[in-house]
Amino acid sequence: MNEECLRLLRDGLPDIRTEVPDVGLTFLPLCLDVDGDVAVVTVLTFDETGNVPGESFIDGWTFHRRNGEWMALGGGGGAAPAEPLARRSAAELGRHLRRYGSGRTVRNADRLLPWGAKYVNQVRLRVAAEATQIRVGRRVIPVPQHGHVAVVWTARRAPLIEALDPAGRVLDALELERSQTPERNSA
């Protein structure tokens, strides 16, 4: 898997299908995001053992470019929704941006002292069919046909992510800092 992710970072994503592929394929690249010297690659993986027919997962893997070479940092994921490649409307998702996964890896794990860690953060989103791109700070990322988008960043504060319509108007905004904090019961 690592070699395939490195190839995707080097060559870019192929045309992505919107239907689950035939038996025998173990994973399908969904999206990637590069911000300076960090990147995230998100893939849809299929159960290789055959224990659970049709079971699939969505994994996000982070990378750091050091001395011109991409190095894997780590990653993780979770179960994919039913019909993972079907694009959903905002009414079906409940909003235009739906966060379904996130992760954080250390990019300078080889440091001598425990303090001073620098992190690479990622978030995996489903973007409603009405949005054609998302804006993350100054970056604008096109939304693939299947609606899955991954975003990577290194700043301490999570970025504001905005879903944009074809004319560039903001349909929805997702404040990751707020969405990462559990809601408190005011009882």
Side-chain angles (χ1 to χ4, degrees):
M1 175 79 74
N2 188 44
E3 288 301 316
E4 184 61 25
C5 287
L6 290 170
R7 186 188 65 70
L8 293 169
L9 284 169
R10 186 179 57 248
D11 301 337
L13 287 173
D15 287 337
I16 299 172
R17 305 179 219 176
T18 55
E19 67 275 345
V20 175
D22 298 331
V23 176
L25 189 64
T26 57
F27 77 96
L28 183 68
L30 290 178
C31 53
L32 65 85
D33 182 33
V34 177
D35 186 19
D37 65 348
V38 297
V40 61
V41 176
T42 301
V43 296
L44 177 63
T45 59
F46 306 98
D47 181 24
E48 298 173 37
T49 63
N51 293 333
V52 184
E55 179 100 306
S56 58
F57 304 90
I58 297 179
D59 301 315
W61 299 93
T62 55
F63 295 84
H64 176 232
R65 189 177 7 223
R66 184 182 278 174
N67 299 326
E69 296 291 322
W70 287 109
M71 298 173 39
L73 298 176
E83 299 179 43
L85 299 176
R87 189 82 183 261
R88 306 285 185 218
S89 69
E92 291 172 292
L93 291 176
R95 62 183 302 176
H96 291 90
L97 294 168
R98 174 67 59 196
R99 174 186 152 172
Y100 65 83
S102 61
R104 185 179 211 196
T105 51
V106 176
R107 75 170 169 174
N108 62 339
D110 59 349
R111 66 193 185 288
L112 296 175
L113 300 171
W115 49 85
K118 295 185 182 190
Y119 295 96
V120 175
N121 304 285
Q122 62 157 305
V123 65
R124 292 177 302 281
L125 306 165
R126 258 190 125 169
V127 182
E130 297 85 353
T132 57
Q133 51 194 351
I134 64 167
R135 183 169 42 217
V136 182
R138 294 184 183 152
R139 297 186 298 137
V140 175
I141 301 169
V143 178
Q145 287 181 319
H146 51 65
H148 293 275
V149 175
V151 176
V152 67
W153 73 94
T154 58
R156 286 183 181 211
R157 293 199 61 156
L160 174 70
I161 300 175
E162 298 172 306
L164 306 175
D165 70 6
R169 291 183 298 257
V170 176
L171 297 170
D172 194 1
L174 182 62
E175 295 181 53
L176 294 175
E177 294 291 335
R178 185 170 292 168
S179 68
Q180 291 176 342
T181 312
E183 291 185 26
R184 295 185 185 170
N185 236 344
S186 57

